[in-house]
Amino acid sequence: MADSITYHHHRSHDYRRSITQFVFAHQIILTFLWTVGFLLIFIWQRSAVDRVLEYRRWAIPSRPIPKLRSLVLDLRDFGAVGDGYTLNTASFEEAIKEIKKRGGGQLNVPPGNWLTAPFNLTSHMTLFLAQNSVILGVDDEKYWTLMPPLPSYGYGREYPGPRYGSLIHGQNLNDVVITGHNGTINGQGQTWWKKHREKLLKHTRGPLVQIMWSSNIKITDITLRDSPFWTVHPYDCKNVIIRNVTILNPLSDAPNTDGVDPDSCENLVIEDSYISVGDDGIAIKSGWDQYGIAYGQPSTNILIRNVIVRSMVSAGVSIGSEMSGGVSNITVENLLVWNSKRAVRIKTAPGRGGYVKNITFRNITFDNVRVGIVIKTDYNEHADEGYDRNALPVIDSISFSGVRGQGVRVPVRIYGSRDIPVSNVTFKDLLVGISYKKKHIFQCSFVQGRVIGKIFPAPCENLDIYDENGRLVKQATSDNSVDADYDA
């Protein structure tokens, strides 16, 4: 038996040695065969992916462009070249001139990268951006027209004197539509931001899209990105709809790239949109200090709903700080603000004048924001030294209901002042999970208002407490409490 075991052991050892010798002797051949096999598998996989992509191209064709006006023009018919290098300003201008001549029409921007300097729209016009079409703004400021300062700002916002116009611009228009199959308007703002930081510009940067003194405006189903300055700026307009838009600017190092800035506008809706920007997501304005007071055109009847916003620098939705013409009758509902510095904010200062009143926030969600609700009355940035220091704004009738949140450092900070108290603030159904355990996480000063029902965290002592049936449970014991320990 021992001899048998020894025999089998030697035989097994000889077998393994022969296999090893075979492998070493034929290493080059085996390596070659392995390499060929790998390449065959790679080629097969790649051809399979190509077949899938080819199938998708066949099965999911480009969406046909709808005919939205009786006259439909194609940008290519005016000599435009969508290679991203050819300047197509003249093509846009000639096409829009033809639309104006014929009383209205639709300009189709087909797939491609259409580089252009700023151009002006006309009334009764639809600008349609096809699937995979991109309007690119030329990033050399010498191509951007200089315009007078906005009359309700009187300055230039960043520098005295003229300002740069917008990439897509319109004045005194009626019935204008900018829409598409999620085509893109790209302002190529990187050069602008760098020059602004290095103080190489002599004039205020221009918005991406600015429509002024116009009515019946629709901006829908497109993407806007990398704006030099504010992205969409309706100025003194009526009956404006902004729906199903995506606005993308870098979250940092892209200064003043607000998403949408309704400015002295009436009857405006922003809905069903996603905004991720380097400043305020939405900022409602109405002029700056004495210039806004003199212009006297408020922002009123504005609805913001079903919007997701991210802003690591500023706030999801702001009112002000330029609100000297007044802001009233604003409803913000079904809003999600995530991974941001602030969620909603009202900001003003002595010298602004005007008012912020009848503001409703309803069904608001904060997800990982530093400060949830902010009202700030010392935002002391002024156009010039000519403002009236006795022009004190009024803040009245602000309500918050259905507020939810998690990962919030300070849920509420309302800082009125002796000169600018905050009146008639209402909180109902507020439940916010906090990430900051210090005592004062609901901060107030010079504020008067009420809490209806139970809320978390506990409110400040400035507010009256009512039960769900409207009966007074506890009267406010202070109008000026708590010191802040951070910048909001």
Side-chain angles (χ1 to χ4, degrees), residues 43 54-55 75 87 101 149 250 268 277 329 335 348 368 378 386 394 444 483:
I43 292 170
E54 184 62 31
Y55 170 78
L75 185 64
L87 195 62
K101 176 182 174 182
L268 181 143
V277 292
N329 300 337
L335 170 74
T348 186
N368 190 28
D378 59 351
V394 173
C444 304
D483 291 325

Side-chain angles (χ1 to χ4, degrees), residues 286-399:
S286 64
W288 201 9
D289 290 349
Q290 71 271 28
Y291 304 105
I293 294 171
Y295 192 72
Q297 184 62 46
S299 279
T300 187
N301 298 338
I302 293 176
L303 172 62
I304 300 167
R305 63 185 174 190
N306 307 332
V307 176
I308 299 173
V309 185
R310 188 179 185 196
S311 169
M312 290 180 64
V313 173
S314 196
V317 173
S318 286
I319 297 175
S321 72
E322 310 93 329
M323 39 60 65
S324 301
V327 176
S328 66
N329 300 337
I330 311 297
T331 298
V332 181
E333 61 184 12
N334 304 334
L335 170 74
L336 168 62
V337 183
W338 68 287
N339 283 14
S340 298
K341 188 170 184 179
R342 308 173 188 90
V344 297
R345 178 167 66 162
I346 297 171
K347 47 184 178 176
T348 186
R352 292 289 192 268
Y355 54 83
V356 176
K357 62 183 182 182
N358 299 331
I359 313 296
T360 300
F361 294 94
R362 182 168 52 231
N363 297 336
I364 311 297
T365 301
F366 313 148
D367 185 2
N368 190 28
V369 301
R370 180 177 172 85
V371 191
I373 295 166
V374 181
I375 300 179
K376 184 178 178 67
T377 58
D378 59 351
Y379 200 84
N380 285 309
E381 183 183 8
H382 299 282
D384 53 42
E385 290 301 316
Y387 70 95
D388 180 1
R389 287 154 178 78
N390 295 317
L392 302 175
V394 173
I395 303 177
D396 184 72
S397 299
I398 318 292
S399 71

Side-chain angles (χ1 to χ4, degrees), residues 6-16:
T6 303
Y7 169 75
H8 284 292
H9 173 75
H10 285 295
R11 187 174 180 181
S12 175
H13 178 74
D14 292 342
Y15 176 77
R16 289 195 300 269

Side-chain angles (χ1 to χ4, degrees), residues 50-120:
D50 289 341
R51 287 195 300 271
V52 170
L53 292 176
E54 184 62 31
Y55 170 78
R56 290 185 63 190
R57 282 190 288 268
W58 171 79
I60 310 174
S62 297
R63 300 166 65 184
I65 299 177
K67 184 177 181 179
L68 304 175
R69 307 269 185 179
S70 57
L71 172 67
V72 179
L73 304 178
D74 190 307
L75 185 64
R76 293 170 295 190
D77 293 337
F78 295 85
V81 179
D83 59 6
Y85 301 100
T86 303
L87 195 62
N88 295 293
T89 315
S91 299
F92 278 103
E93 291 175 342
E94 286 300 315
I96 295 169
K97 181 179 178 181
E98 183 66 17
I99 288 173
K100 183 176 181 179
K101 176 182 174 182
R102 298 175 64 173
Q106 175 176 328
L107 176 58
N108 291 338
V109 182
N113 296 306
W114 309 92
L115 184 67
T116 180
F119 61 87
N120 294 319

Side-chain angles (χ1 to χ4, degrees), residues 3-251:
D3 290 340
S4 176
I5 293 173
T6 303
Y7 169 75
H8 284 292
H9 173 75
H10 285 295
R11 187 174 180 181
S12 175
H13 178 74
D14 292 342
Y15 176 77
R16 289 195 300 269
R17 185 172 61 187
S18 63
I19 291 294
T20 303
Q21 289 173 344
F22 176 84
V23 170
F24 278 110
H26 299 84
Q27 185 175 16
I28 296 176
I29 296 175
L30 291 173
T31 301
F32 173 76
L33 291 174
W34 182 87
T35 303
V36 170
F38 176 80
L39 289 173
L40 288 173
I41 293 172
F42 176 78
I43 292 170
W44 178 85
Q45 287 179 326
R46 184 165 183 175
S47 64
V49 171
D50 289 341
R51 287 195 300 271
V52 170
L53 292 176
E54 184 62 31
Y55 170 78
R56 290 185 63 190
R57 282 190 288 268
W58 171 79
I60 310 174
S62 297
R63 300 166 65 184
I65 299 177
K67 184 177 181 179
L68 304 175
R69 307 269 185 179
S70 57
L71 172 67
V72 179
L73 304 178
D74 190 307
L75 185 64
R76 293 170 295 190
D77 293 337
F78 295 85
V81 179
D83 59 6
Y85 301 100
T86 303
L87 195 62
N88 295 293
T89 315
S91 299
F92 278 103
E93 291 175 342
E94 286 300 315
I96 295 169
K97 181 179 178 181
E98 183 66 17
I99 288 173
K100 183 176 181 179
K101 176 182 174 182
R102 298 175 64 173
Q106 175 176 328
L107 176 58
N108 291 338
V109 182
N113 296 306
W114 309 92
L115 184 67
T116 180
F119 61 87
N120 294 319
L121 304 176
T122 191
S123 292
H124 310 297
M125 173 184 175
T126 296
L127 179 66
F128 194 98
L129 282 73
Q131 183 179 348
N132 299 319
S133 68
V134 181
I135 296 177
L136 288 170
V138 64
D139 60 359
D140 187 339
E141 67 267 22
K142 73 180 182 183
Y143 290 97
W144 288 61
T145 305
L146 286 175
M147 305 180 66
L150 293 167
S152 60
Y153 287 73
Y155 189 71
R157 196 57 188 83
E158 294 180 316
Y159 298 95
R163 60 189 175 94
Y164 291 108
S166 57
L167 178 64
I168 297 178
H169 193 80
Q171 294 185 193
N172 302 303
L173 303 181
N174 180 40
D175 180 23
V176 173
V177 179
I178 303 174
T179 189
H181 287 152
N182 200 33
T184 298
I185 302 172
N186 187 332
Q188 300 200 100
Q190 293 82 356
T191 299
W192 292 95
W193 309 328
K194 184 174 185 293
K195 289 182 177 181
H196 174 73
R197 288 193 299 268
E198 296 175 356
K199 302 187 183 303
L200 298 177
L201 297 172
K202 298 180 180 179
H203 307 286
T204 299
R205 292 166 289 154
L208 191 61
V209 177
Q210 184 179 61
I211 310 294
M212 304 172 60
W213 303 305
S214 299
S215 59
N216 302 313
I217 309 299
K218 292 183 180 180
I219 302 174
T220 69
D221 303 289
I222 60 171
T223 294
L224 304 111
R225 64 178 307 148
D226 294 344
S227 176
F229 191 57
W230 300 343
T231 305
V232 179
H233 185 209
Y235 179 83
D236 198 351
C237 291
K238 295 181 179 179
N239 304 330
V240 179
I241 295 175
I242 299 171
R243 176 187 298 133
N244 196 28
V245 301
T246 301
I247 299 178
L248 303 173
N249 297 319
L251 292 167

